[in-house]
Amino acid sequence: MTAESKNQAIQLVVNGKTHRAVVAPQATLLELIRDHLGLTGTKEGCGKGQCGACTVLLDGKPVNSCLMLAVQAQGHQVVTIEGAEHEKELDPIQQAFIDEGAVQCGFCTPGLILSARALLDQHPHPDEDHIKEAISGHLCRCTGYSAIIRAIRRAASGGKS
Amino acid sequence: METFRYSVPRSVEEALHLIKEEGQAAKLLAGGTDLLVQMKEGLFRPSLVVDIGSLHQLRGIRKEEGFIWIGPLTTHHDLAHSALIQRHGLALAQGASKVGSPQIRQRGTLGGNIANASPAADTLPPLVVLEAEVQVSSLTGSRWVPVESVMEGPSQTVLRPEELITAVRFPVQEKGFRSQYEKFGSRRALSIAVASVAAGAYQEKGCVKKITIALGSVSPSIVRASQAEELLTGKALEQSLIARASTSAGQACCPLDDVRGSIWYRRQLVAALLARILQSWMNDE
Ligand SMILES: Cc1cc2nc3c(=O)[nH]c(=O)nc-3n(C[C@H](O)[C@H](O)[C@H](O)COP(=O)(O)OP(=O)(O)OC[C@H]3O[C@@H](n4cnc5c(N)ncnc54)[C@H](O)[C@@H]3O)c2cc1C
Ligand code: FES
Ligand code: FES
C-alpha cells in the first residue's frame, strides 16, 4: 500500500474485535482508542513516553499508545484495559490490585495492569526485580509503588498475599 | 501534531524513491519514539512521513561471514535479549537494555537510535567499542561508515536526506575479547544518561592487549578516551593503574555542562564508571 491521500483507512483488532476506522495520518493510537473507539480507560498523562498512563498491549507487548500513530497499528492486535477482563470476570491482576489497595486515584492503574499482564504472560512467577523492571515505564503519583508490587506478586501466586 | 502525507513503502527501493523525491521535507519513521516526540514539540514538520516499520527485511540479527549483522529496525528489546549479541557484543545488549522503559524498548530501534544522533544514545558507545559499521544506502548505491564517524554532533549525522541506514554490523572478535557498558542517569528507568562509558578489550593472561573506550553524554558527540586506552595497553590490570586510567578518561572528555550535570560532576562519573568496568574485569581474572 502506498496511499498518500490525507486520511487513512485502517483495520485493526481491539480487544478481540475487528475495527475499521478512517483516521488522519497524525492521529495517535491513543486518540484512536479514546476518541474514535470511546475506550477511555486508556489515559493520557505526558503524551511523550514518560508516564506509561497510555500503555496498551500491541500483539501482547506493552507500548506507549501516545507515541504511535494510529496508522502504525494497521493489521495489529491491541488490548486495552477494557479487554483485560474475561467473560465479565476481572483479570486476577485487577482483583489483586483491589485486594492490595494498589489503586488510589486510579490514573496509572490501567497501564500498570496491562504491563503486569504482559509480564505474567511471559514469566508466570516473576521475582521482585522482574516486577520492578516491568513497571519501570510507569509513574504513579499516589501509591509509592509498594502496594502495586505486592498486588502483582499476589496475582502471580494465584491471589494469595 | 501538524498533518502530513503518509506512505508505507513495500520495499527498500520504494522507500529510497520516496525520500529522494521529497528531499529534506520527508522523514523516515521507524519506531517513532524520537520522531513523534519531536513532531509533537514542533521540532520537525515533515510534509511526508515514510513508515519503514513494516520492512521486515530490515529487522533481525544473524552471524555470517565473520560479522554480526543487525537490521536497523531491530528493537532495543530484541537486542537486549539476543543470545548472539550477549555473546559477541555484551556492551550493546547492556546499552539496549538501559534505553528508556520496557515500552520504549519494545518500539525503539537501533537504526533510529543511530540516526537520531543524541550524545546520550545508549547504543552508540557500545557500537563504537565493537568497531561497528553502518550501511548507508541511496538510489545510487551504498557505503559503509564506521559508527564512530556517523555522528557529527547533537542531531547531526553524515546521513543525507536521500539516504537510509540498511544494516549495522560488527566483526566477531576472537577469543579473549570482552565488552561492557555502564550508564549513570538520575534514576534507573526513563532517564537519559548523564554520563556513560563503554569499553571493549582483548585480554591475554590478565594483560590488556588492546582496549577501546568510548564515552557518551559528556561531549557533543561520542568521544574516545585515547589517553586512558594508551595507559592500559600492554599492562596487567591492577588498582593503581585502574585509578590512573579512570582519572585520565575523566580528563580526556570535553564534557557538556548542562542541567543534567556540571563538567566536574561528569568527569567524576566517567572515572567511576570506567573504574567499575575495569575492576570487574580484574576480579574476573
Ligand atoms: C520516554 C523516552 C525515553 C527514552 N530513553 C532513551 C534512553 O534512555 N536512551 C536512548 O538512547 N534513547 C532513549 N530514547 C530515545 C529513543 O527511544 C531511541 O533513540 C530510539 O532508538 C529511537 O528509535 P525509533 O525507531 O523509535 O526512531 P524514530 O523515532 O522512528 O526515528 C528517529 C530518527 O531516526 C531516523 N531513522 C530511523 N530509522 C532510520 C533508518 N533506518 N535510516 C535512516 N534514518 C532513520 C528517523 O527519520 C528519525 O529522524 C527515549 C525516548 C523516549 C520517548
Ligand atoms: S501519555 Fe503516553 S507515556 Fe505518558
Ligand atoms: S494511583 Fe494515582 S497515579 Fe497511581
Side-chain angles (χ1 to χ4, degrees):
Chain A
M1 176 187 79
T2 320
E4 290 213 20
S5 60
K6 278 219 144 200
N7 284 349
Q8 306 282 317
I10 58 168
Q11 184 176 321
L12 72 168
V13 176
V14 180
N15 301 332
K17 208 175 134 219
T18 302
H19 288 268
R20 285 187 188 80
V22 176
V23 293
Q26 74 275 18
T28 61
L29 176 58
L30 177 62
E31 286 162 353
L32 171 73
I33 290 168
R34 287 182 59 89
D35 304 343
H36 289 242
L37 305 181
L39 299 171
T40 52
T42 308
K43 305 301 179 196
E44 174 162 29
C46 63
K48 290 177 185 174
Q50 306 267 349
C51 74
C54 65
T55 301
V56 299
L57 301 183
L58 182 80
D59 303 326
K61 305 288 170 25
V63 299
N64 301 120
S65 62
C66 71
L67 288 190
M68 264 185 80
L69 297 175
V71 286
Q72 287 179 287
Q74 156 67 30
H76 291 276
Q77 302 255 356
V78 174
V79 172
T80 69
I81 191 64
E82 289 85 351
E85 56 177 42
H86 322 279
E87 290 157 5
K88 308 260 174 225
E89 290 269 323
L90 290 183
D91 185 283
I93 301 171
Q94 292 175 300
Q95 190 58 52
F97 267 62
I98 297 170
D99 296 341
E100 290 291 344
V103 182
Q104 288 185 29
C105 80
F107 198 80
C108 66
T109 314
L112 272 160
I113 286 176
L114 292 171
S115 279
R117 180 74 272 151
L119 169 71
L120 297 190
D121 286 346
Q122 281 280 311
H123 304 279
H125 303 290
D127 60 24
E128 178 133 346
D129 283 346
H130 268 133
I131 297 176
K132 285 184 176 167
E133 168 68 31
I135 63 169
S136 61
H138 296 268
L139 293 179
C140 173
R141 301 299 298 270
C142 307
T143 65
Y145 304 100
S146 323
I148 294 169
I149 295 168
R150 277 204 307 278
I152 298 172
R153 214 187 297 126
R154 184 186 187 114
S157 56
K160 292 183 284 290
S161 59
Chain B
M1 236 186 303
E2 279 176 37
T3 194
F4 45 80
R5 285 172 296 125
Y6 174 79
S7 265
V8 184
R10 288 200 178 174
S11 65
V12 170
E13 168 122 13
E14 197 184 332
L16 291 173
H17 272 289
L18 286 164
I19 55 176
K20 169 80 184 170
E21 278 157 29
E22 197 80 9
Q24 300 267 4
K27 268 282 170 195
L28 291 163
L29 173 68
T33 59
D34 276 318
L35 189 60
L36 256 69
V37 175
Q38 290 156 351
M39 285 171 57
K40 285 183 176 193
E41 288 174 349
L43 285 172
F44 291 121
R45 295 188 170 83
S47 59
L48 174 71
V49 168
V50 178
D51 183 354
I52 54 174
S54 38
L55 294 177
H56 297 290
Q57 60 272 44
L58 295 182
R59 177 162 293 176
I61 303 164
R62 63 198 160 84
K63 185 174 163 208
E64 215 175 276
E65 297 162 2
F67 286 94
I68 302 294
W69 300 75
I70 309 169
L73 289 179
T74 307
T75 61
H76 296 297
H77 175 272
D78 289 351
L79 281 173
H81 289 85
S82 155
L84 273 179
I85 303 293
Q86 287 172 5
R87 170 133 190 253
H88 298 285
L90 181 61
L92 180 57
Q94 292 169 326
S97 77
K98 293 187 167 103
V99 170
S101 65
Q103 293 96 316
I104 296 288
R105 292 193 288 279
Q106 206 58 247
R107 298 289 304 165
T109 66
L110 182 64
N113 202 227
I114 297 170
N116 188 62
S118 160
D122 283 308
T123 66
L124 290 180
L127 287 170
V128 167
V129 303
L130 296 172
E131 298 173 8
E133 303 165 287
V134 172
Q135 185 185 47
V136 177
S137 303
S138 69
L139 286 176
T140 54
S142 69
R143 58 194 171 117
W144 285 96
V145 186
V147 167
E148 219 177 327
S149 321
V150 171
M151 187 174 167
E152 297 186 310
S155 313
Q156 284 178 328
T157 65
V158 298
L159 289 174
R160 293 189 284 265
E162 70 275 17
E163 287 180 327
L164 178 67
I165 296 174
T166 40
V168 180
R169 71 174 185 196
F170 62 85
V172 174
Q173 309 277 4
E174 284 160 41
K175 236 178 130 261
F177 178 83
R178 65 200 304 178
S179 67
Q180 194 168 319
Y181 179 66
E182 293 285 342
K183 164 183 183 175
F184 185 86
S186 51
R187 61 192 186 106
R188 248 159 66 189
L190 280 170
S191 73
I192 302 298
V194 181
S196 66
V197 177
Y202 273 110
Q203 277 174 289
E204 213 177 84
K205 298 196 190 88
C207 180
V208 177
K209 290 276 163 203
K210 189 180 163 206
I211 184 163
T212 312
I213 301 166
L215 314 178
S217 222
V218 293
S219 170
S221 194
I222 307 301
V223 284
R224 292 269 297 271
S226 331
Q227 260 191 336
E229 292 174 3
E230 272 171 43
L231 272 172
L232 291 159
T233 306
K235 308 225 179 67
L237 290 178
E238 40 86 16
Q239 293 296 355
S240 66
L241 177 66
I242 291 177
R244 267 185 297 137
S246 302
T247 313
S248 152
Q251 294 303 318
C253 59
C254 62
L256 299 173
D257 205 352
D258 66 15
V259 287
R260 275 182 276 133
S262 66
I263 290 175
W264 178 87
Y265 183 53
R266 283 192 152 102
R267 289 203 159 127
Q268 305 294 315
L269 281 176
V270 164
L273 295 175
L274 180 59
R276 190 182 291 174
I277 295 174
L278 298 175
Q279 208 93 50
S280 76
W281 289 353
M282 188 180 81
N283 296 340
D284 270 4
E285 276 301 317

